[in-house]
Amino acid sequence: MVKSPYLEQLREEVRAEGRAEGRAEGRAEGQLEALRETVLQLGRQVFRKAAGRTQKARLEALTDLARLERIRNRILKADSWADLLDTP
């Protein structure tokens, strides 16, 4: 089988693009996880109780980084877990 330099270069470019996309997705997921953990830790301190199963499930379901940042920023102003997690 004869290898085409053009096809080999194209394959390597596709692999490199895939690796870059994977790293970006990993970073984004890492940011989401870090924010979720921050909200859980700070919320436990502010509300004097850990999040329940329902609240944890709601938090885990959030994939909007901007919304999670708004939730984190509202922790000191929220009255309860429910109030906090209703942040738009």
Side-chain angles (χ1 to χ4, degrees), residues 46-65:
V46 170
F47 305 129
R48 304 266 191 241
K49 64 178 180 179
R53 275 187 256 161
T54 302
Q55 287 109 1
K56 285 181 184 178
R58 285 183 66 189
L59 195 58
E60 288 298 318
L62 294 175
T63 58
D64 180 353
L65 185 63

Side-chain angles (χ1 to χ4, degrees), residues 29-44:
E29 186 58 36
Q31 287 178 316
L32 289 171
E33 286 300 318
L35 272 171
R36 288 180 189 125
E37 187 58 33
T38 298
V39 169
L40 287 171
Q41 289 175 1
L42 292 175
R44 187 178 319 115

Side-chain angles (χ1 to χ4, degrees), residues 10-26:
L10 187 60
R11 281 188 191 108
E12 184 52 40
E13 288 174 9
V14 168
R15 280 189 214 110
E17 186 176 307
R19 286 190 298 268
E21 287 175 9
R23 283 191 299 273
E25 288 174 12

Side-chain angles (χ1 to χ4, degrees), residues 66-84:
R67 182 169 177 214
L68 276 168
E69 288 173 339
R70 288 192 303 274
I71 288 171
R72 180 205 54 209
N73 294 342
R74 255 197 90 234
I75 284 178
L76 296 177
K77 297 175 185 169
D79 298 324
S80 65
W81 279 108
D83 180 33
L84 180 65

